[in-house]
Amino acid sequence: MTNKLKSEKWFGEKNLEGFLHRSGMKAQGWPENLIKDRPIIGIANSFSEAVHCNSHLRTLAEHVKKGILVAGGTPIEFPVISLGEFFLSPTSMYLRNQMSIDVEEMIKGLPIDGVVLLSGCDKTTPAMVMGAASANIPTILLPGGPSLRGDWKGQVLGSCTDCRRYWTELRAGNITQSDYDSMEEGIYRSAGHCMVAGTASTMSAISEGMGLTLEGAATLPAVDSRRLTLSNNTGQRIVEMVKENIKFKEFLTKESFHNGITTLMSFGGATNAIIHLLAIAGRTDVKLSLEDFNLISEKTPVIANLKPAGEKLMEDLHYAGGVSGLLKNVEDLIYKNVKTVSGKKLSEIILNAEIYNDEVIKSKSKPINETGSIAILKGTLAPTGAVIKVAAASKKFYEHKGKALVYDSAQELSDNIDNPDLDVNEDTVLVLRNNGPVGGQGMPESGFLPIPKKLLDKGIRDIVRLSDARMSGTAFGTIILHISPESYIGGPLSLVKTGDLISISIKNKSLDLLVDEEILLKRKKESKSTYEINDYKRGYGFIYNKHILQAEDGCDFDFLKA
C-alpha cells in the first residue's frame, strides 16, 4: 500500500489525539492489531424501521464486515438519514439533498479510507451516490435489492403497480373494499424495495450499468442468501480499491453516465431517474442535459419485460440474466471500455453474461417498445422541459389535443374528481399545478392523477394528465411530469385555465398551450401572489426554499454543485 491513508494519521500518531482515537476503538473491542496499519472502511447504513425497504440492511452490513476483515481492513458502521416513501412527510424528495449532505460530511469527517453505501428505497440510492461523489474516496454501492414477488389469490403482484391498478378497480366498483384490504399482506412478502421497474429498481439498475456496484447487485432479491455472499464480496473488494487508491469519481465519467441512461431506457425505468442522474452529474465535472436523454432514448429499445410497461418483476429479471444480460442485448449502444468497481471493464462483464429467458430480457428485434422509453418535451407550456414515460403511455394519446381541466392543489383535485357532474371526457387533459420543487415542498409523487369516476364508470382507464409534480416509477398511464418552470414560481402552467386547449406531440417532443400570447400576458398581470409555505420560514425549509433548483437541474441545492 503506497498511498498514505487518512486513518493512519488518526490512529497511528503517538500523541493525545491518537491516544483518544485508539481508546475509542478499543472501548468497542478492537485490539491494537486491528487498528494499526489497516485500511479503515466505513459502512454507511441507511437502515431504518421507518423504511421497510431497508429493514434488512443491518444483516447485509454484518456480511460486508466479514469481507472487510478477511481482506485485511477494519469496518466502522455508521448510520445516515434514511428516506422512505410510505412514512415520510411531505415527501422523501424534500429531504434527498439533506441526506446527501449527511453522507458527504460523514464520509469526509470520519477516519475512513473507503466506504460501502447501503441503500434501498427510492431516494436513498441517489442521495448516497450524490454525497459520495462530492466526498470522492474509494466507494462501492450495495443496494438492498428487490422484495419477493407479491402473491394474492393466485395472482403474482408487483408493488405498487398493482396497488394502483386495483385501487382504480375499487373506485370503479369492480372489486370490494374487503378484496382490496386482503391484498395488504400479500403485496410485500419480504424486506426489499418495490419489485417492478419503479424508482428504487431503476436507480439500482442504473448504478450497476454505470459500474458503481458489483455484478448482480441491482436484481438479486433482497432475501436471497446469495445477497449475503455479494455483501461479503463487496467488503473484500472495497479494501482492494483502497489499496489501489481508486476514487469514486473515476466511475462517474461522461461515458458511464451514457451507459446509465442507456440502462434506464432499455430497462423501461422511472422518470424520477432523470432528476437523480442530473443531480449526480451536477456533483461532478460531467455536463449532462435533458437533451442527452432524448438522444439516447430515440435509439434505445425497451427490452426489459417489467411492470408497469411489461409483465414481469425484478426477481424474474435476475433469473433471466440481470442487468449484465440486459446490457448484452444493447451492447452496441454502450461504452464497453469503462471501468467498474469490480475491477473489470464492462466489456468483460458483458462477454461473460448469459440470457436465460428471452421473454424477460427481450431481443432488440422483439422489444417491449421500439424506442423512446422516456421523452423530454418542450414548448410554450414547458419552456425548460417536461417528461413523459412513453413506454407506459397509451399510443392513442401520442399526438393529442384536448381541453384542460385545472386543479390548483392535490386536495382540490381529490375533493372534486369523483363528482358525477364533472365536465370531462376521454379527450380532456387533466392538469395539477403547485406541486413542483418549491410549490409542492419537495415535488411530491402526486403526478399519478386519478381518472375521474365518471370516466371509470364508462370503462375508460387512461386520459392525458400533466403536472409539475413527479410520479412513482411504479405508476403508469399517459402522464406528463416535471413541467418546468413550475407553476408556483410563475411558470406558464400557472396561467392555464379550465377550457384552454393543450397540444401534446411525442413525435415532435412538444407540449404547448394553445392560447394567444396577448391573453397570457393579461392573465399574468392579473395573477395573484402564491400561497405561503410556513415550513420555509425557518430551519431546513428556509435553506431548501432559498437554494432548490428546478427539475432540469436535478432539484439539487445550488451550493452543492461541483
Side-chain angles (χ1 to χ4, degrees):
M1 193 184 306
T2 56
N3 58 302
K4 188 174 178 66
L5 299 179
K6 180 181 181 181
S7 61
E8 186 177 337
K9 177 176 175 62
W10 279 75
F11 298 112
E13 291 186 346
K14 293 295 184 178
N15 53 26
L16 177 59
E17 287 75 20
F19 172 90
L20 293 172
H21 297 156
R22 289 187 296 274
S23 294
M25 292 292 283
K26 290 176 179 179
Q28 298 180 73
W30 292 104
E32 182 80 17
N33 66 323
L34 290 181
I35 302 171
K36 187 179 179 181
D37 299 329
R38 293 169 66 93
I40 305 296
I41 307 297
I43 302 173
N45 197 341
S46 62
F47 162 84
S48 171
E49 290 184 352
V51 185
H52 73 275
C53 309
N54 298 19
S55 59
H56 61 309
L57 295 187
R58 279 179 171 169
T59 301
L60 299 189
E62 292 305 312
H63 289 269
V64 174
K65 291 174 186 177
K66 291 178 182 178
I68 292 169
L69 287 166
V70 165
T74 297
I76 294 181
E77 181 183 354
F78 60 94
V80 292
I81 296 170
S82 193
L83 308 176
E85 295 301 312
F86 291 2
F87 306 135
L88 198 56
S89 177
T91 169
S92 62
M93 185 64 181
Y94 180 58
L95 298 171
R96 183 203 64 180
N97 298 342
Q98 184 181 29
M99 183 179 179
S100 78
I101 293 171
D102 180 14
V103 171
E104 176 184 352
E105 296 305 326
M106 290 301 292
I107 291 174
K108 292 195 299 188
L110 289 171
I112 56 176
D113 308 303
V115 66
V116 173
L117 310 173
L118 296 187
S119 70
C121 196
D122 294 11
K123 310 306 175 294
T124 59
T125 295
M128 297 188 96
V129 173
M130 289 162 67
S134 296
N136 196 30
I137 69 170
T139 303
I140 300 179
L141 176 70
L142 177 60
S147 177
L148 296 176
R149 304 182 188 100
D151 177 77
W152 180 70
K153 295 187 175 183
Q155 296 184 52
V156 174
L157 299 181
S159 61
C160 214
T161 299
D162 290 315
C163 317
R164 303 175 198 281
R165 179 164 64 91
Y166 279 107
W167 174 64
T168 300
E169 297 309 315
L170 174 65
R171 292 180 60 238
N174 294 331
I175 63 171
T176 67
Q177 185 66 53
S178 178
D179 288 331
Y180 195 62
D181 291 347
S182 70
M183 198 182 302
E184 292 177 5
E185 293 184 355
I187 192 74
Y188 292 102
R189 297 194 301 114
S190 75
H193 57 68
C194 292
M195 71 297 286
V196 300
T199 304
S201 295
T202 300
M203 292 310 301
S204 293
I206 287 171
S207 297
E208 185 172 340
M210 291 178 69
L212 310 183
T213 77
L214 298 189
E215 298 157 57
T219 54
L220 188 61
V223 293
D224 192 310
S225 61
R226 290 171 292 182
R227 186 163 284 278
L228 305 180
T229 304
L230 174 68
S231 301
N232 191 302
N233 290 337
T234 299
Q236 293 188 52
R237 177 58 191 154
I238 189 62
V239 175
E240 294 172 356
M241 285 179 64
V242 169
K243 293 176 179 178
E244 296 163 4
N245 195 26
I246 302 175
K247 303 292 180 63
F248 196 41
K249 282 187 178 177
E250 294 184 36
F251 308 102
L252 298 173
T253 63
K254 183 69 174 181
E255 291 76 17
S256 65
F257 277 103
H258 176 101
N259 291 347
I261 298 172
T262 303
T263 304
L264 164 65
M265 299 304 174
S266 61
F267 185 78
T271 50
N272 285 323
I274 294 176
I275 290 178
H276 297 318
L277 281 169
L278 289 167
I280 294 166
R283 301 297 184 93
T284 73
D285 295 329
V286 174
K287 303 301 180 185
L288 200 63
S289 72
L290 289 175
E291 187 57 31
D292 291 309
F293 291 88
N294 262 347
L295 291 172
I296 295 172
S297 179
E298 287 168 0
K299 59 185 179 183
T300 307
V302 181
I303 60 171
N305 184 13
L306 296 173
K307 291 183 178 184
E311 302 169 342
K312 304 295 184 179
L313 301 172
M314 288 292 284
E315 194 173 346
D316 304 307
L317 178 60
H318 184 76
Y319 303 148
V323 171
S324 55
L326 182 77
L327 295 180
K328 191 178 187 74
N329 273 3
V330 290
E331 62 176 311
D332 59 316
L333 302 178
I334 62 176
Y335 291 96
K336 292 185 287 185
N337 203 39
V338 300
K339 297 187 298 183
T340 73
V341 294
S342 68
K344 305 173 187 175
K345 288 187 176 180
L346 191 56
S347 57
E348 184 181 349
I349 293 172
I350 290 175
L351 179 65
N352 294 319
E354 295 187 59
I355 298 170
Y356 304 105
N357 188 337
D358 59 12
E359 284 301 308
V360 180
I361 300 176
K362 299 278 193 175
S363 66
K364 286 176 66 177
S365 61
K366 295 181 180 179
I368 299 297
N369 217 58
E370 289 186 4
T371 58
S373 167
I374 294 173
I376 307 300
L377 310 180
K378 290 187 177 181
T380 57
L381 192 52
T384 51
V387 174
I388 181 172
K389 187 171 182 177
V390 181
S394 301
K395 291 184 178 180
K396 64 183 178 180
F397 292 130
Y398 281 11
E399 309 295 317
H400 182 73
K401 289 181 182 179
K403 291 183 178 180
L405 175 59
V406 182
Y407 293 102
D408 285 325
S409 69
Q411 187 61 56
E412 182 189 5
L413 184 148
S414 179
D415 291 343
N416 291 278
I417 200 69
D418 287 343
N419 184 342
D421 297 324
L422 204 63
D423 185 11
V424 64
N425 59 46
E426 192 173 5
D427 292 327
T428 297
V429 177
L430 198 59
V431 176
L432 174 67
R433 58 188 174 205
N434 294 315
N435 276 246
V438 183
Q441 200 177 350
M443 204 177 183
E445 291 185 342
S446 50
F448 182 66
L449 309 185
I451 304 296
K453 192 171 188 308
K454 181 177 180 179
L455 299 183
L456 291 178
D457 292 343
K458 296 178 180 179
I460 295 170
R461 293 295 181 267
D462 192 20
I463 62 172
V464 176
R465 291 157 277 176
L466 58 87
S467 72
D468 46 11
R470 296 179 301 110
M471 176 179 78
S472 168
T474 68
F476 50 89
T478 309
I479 301 175
I480 298 169
L481 307 149
H482 309 181
I483 292 176
S484 183
E486 63 174 298
S487 57
Y488 186 85
I489 63 171
L493 189 62
S494 66
L495 305 178
V496 182
K497 290 190 174 183
T498 294
D500 287 351
L501 201 60
I502 292 175
S503 171
I504 299 105
S505 174
I506 302 302
K507 179 181 178 181
N508 297 325
K509 304 290 191 296
S510 63
L511 176 63
D512 291 300
L513 177 60
L514 305 181
V515 176
D516 289 343
E517 184 65 26
E518 288 184 7
I519 295 175
L520 293 178
L521 287 172
K522 184 179 179 182
R523 288 181 187 177
K524 193 165 188 176
K525 289 179 181 178
E526 296 173 350
S527 63
K528 299 177 182 178
S529 59
T530 50
Y531 56 90
E532 190 174 19
I533 298 173
N534 287 331
D535 284 352
Y536 289 165
K537 293 180 179 179
R538 60 167 301 278
Y540 176 73
F542 182 85
I543 298 170
Y544 179 95
N545 185 39
K546 294 289 184 184
H547 297 285
I548 191 67
L549 298 170
Q550 289 289 289
E552 69 272 15
D553 290 314
C555 297
D556 202 357
F557 291 154
D558 52 15
F559 61 84
L560 293 177
K561 292 174 72 71

